[in-house]
Amino acid sequence: MERTRTARAPRRRMWVRAALAVLSALAVVAAGLGGLVVWQNTYELREEPVVIHQAGRTLHGVLALPARGKGPFPLVVFVHGDGPVDATHDTFYRPMWEAFARSGYASLSWNKPGVGGAPGDWLDQSMDDRAAEAADAIAWARGRAEVDGGRIGLWGASQAGWVLPGIAAKDRGIRFVIAVSPAVNWHRQGRYHLLAGLRRDGASDAEVATALSRREAGLELLGRGASYEEYVHAVGDPDGMTAARWRFVTKNHTADASADLPALRGIPVLLVLAGHDLNVDTAETEAAYRRLLPGPALRVAHYPDATHGLVRRAVEDSPLRLTLTALCAPRALFAEGFLADQEQFLSAVDTEGARP
């Protein structure tokens, strides 16, 4: 028995040493991955938290400046899409801020009301409210020493399609616009989004008919200003439509960018469209922009492999891949050329005159 215990002891030590070696290797790998994550999420720019007090409004935001220099820098003002978005869009904006900084541009973004401790509730806003909010942020920015107040433009995505033209209509000093997957007409966009989602999910003809009937009932209620209680009574299951969201839709369902889009004539506009957009009818959007903004100032960039948010489709379709890419290689989230094309657009803006 003693010999057996003695013989087993070296084997136990061998297994312990092997286990320790594996743990050490894992620790090295973990440290390396941690370093990779930190490196990939370090951006060549300077971020300054700001609180904007303007015209009785308070906005909590971030001013992202190029890594070097005192300025004054031209500025890109970010206008969010739908939802409770914070100033960085959960860090989604930072690769763009970095690309813009390489062209010598600063970026300004802020939390929507009620997000990240900001006062208010974004669901209480109309599109006109959002345009007024952006106008206040721009007025504040023009008073900053780091900002060239004569070289300010807009970047906006999705729902911002109803906000960007409204800002430009009121501020003739806007120098350029980057419109990413912008919507034009609220009702048509909603119908397109509904049908695209049903097709993606393989809905039957009967299911499509039911969904469209339900939608028409909702539109009729919106048209006569019905209460949320009336809506629930009429359609039954609210299917995610809360009272606050109903209030928001009631304020905004007549939105149509067509009236204000001509305000963008005479300035460089980059229209960014995705090939797999389930939210916005890109064909309608492109046709509207080309009709209302004729001439060389409008540039249209197509990304066939991108989704609504200009994320590569193969990445967005895999939750695991999306998470890992966002963590370990956030710049690789976007469709090929998306960041570089915007950077080049801003560089070209500097060689073109302001609108008359």
Side-chain angles (χ1 to χ4, degrees), residues 30-42 324 326-331:
L33 286 175
L36 173 66
V37 169
V38 170
W39 174 62
Q40 285 288 336
N41 287 274
T42 300
L324 290 176
L327 184 64
C328 299
R331 297 166 186 83

Side-chain angles (χ1 to χ4, degrees), residues 125-169:
Q125 292 185 307
S126 67
M127 297 301 108
D128 286 342
D129 293 334
R130 296 196 60 202
E133 174 185 88
D136 286 346
I138 292 168
W140 171 88
R142 287 192 171 119
R144 296 280 296 200
E146 311 98 316
V147 174
D148 182 344
R151 300 164 69 199
I152 294 178
L154 307 172
W155 184 102
S158 191
Q159 191 181 93
W162 294 303
V163 184
L164 301 174
I167 300 169

Side-chain angles (χ1 to χ4, degrees), residues 3-16:
R3 284 197 302 271
T4 301
R5 286 197 298 270
T6 303
R8 288 176 177 170
R11 286 198 293 271
R12 285 198 298 269
R13 287 195 294 271
M14 179 181 68
W15 282 110
V16 169

Side-chain angles (χ1 to χ4, degrees), residues 11-80:
R11 286 198 293 271
R12 285 198 298 269
R13 287 195 294 271
M14 179 181 68
W15 282 110
V16 169
R17 285 196 296 270
L20 290 173
V22 169
L23 290 173
S24 297
L26 290 174
V28 170
V29 170
L33 286 175
L36 173 66
V37 169
V38 170
W39 174 62
Q40 285 288 336
N41 287 274
T42 300
Y43 297 93
E44 193 177 354
L45 48 82
R46 294 170 289 166
E47 290 186 28
E48 178 187 345
V50 295
V51 178
I52 298 169
H53 298 290
Q54 190 75 21
R57 193 189 310 271
T58 299
L59 305 173
H60 296 185
V62 173
L63 180 63
L65 302 169
R68 289 168 291 279
K70 295 182 179 179
F73 304 106
L75 179 69
V76 183
V77 175
F78 276 64
V79 181
H80 307 306

Side-chain angles (χ1 to χ4, degrees), residues 221-304:
L221 291 165
L222 286 170
R224 60 182 176 84
S227 68
Y228 177 68
E229 290 71 24
E230 289 177 276
Y231 170 77
V232 173
H233 178 75
V235 304
D237 178 12
D239 192 27
M241 178 67 77
T242 64
R245 184 71 187 184
W246 178 257
R247 184 173 69 248
F248 178 76
V249 174
T250 298
K251 288 185 176 186
N252 293 296
H253 73 99
T254 59
D256 191 311
S258 300
D260 285 332
L261 268 172
L264 304 183
R265 289 177 183 170
I267 63 172
V269 174
L270 177 62
L271 175 62
V272 176
L273 300 173
H276 295 279
D277 197 326
L278 299 182
N279 294 65
V280 169
D281 184 343
T282 56
E284 180 193 27
T285 291
E286 181 173 359
Y289 271 67
R290 289 193 183 278
R291 183 180 73 255
L292 297 168
L293 302 176
L298 173 65
R299 303 159 202 194
V300 181
H302 290 273
Y303 300 89

Side-chain angles (χ1 to χ4, degrees), residues 194 198 204-217:
L194 173 64
L198 290 169
S204 67
D205 290 345
E207 289 171 326
V208 170
T210 297
L212 288 175
S213 176
R214 177 189 177 103
R215 179 178 182 277
E216 289 303 317

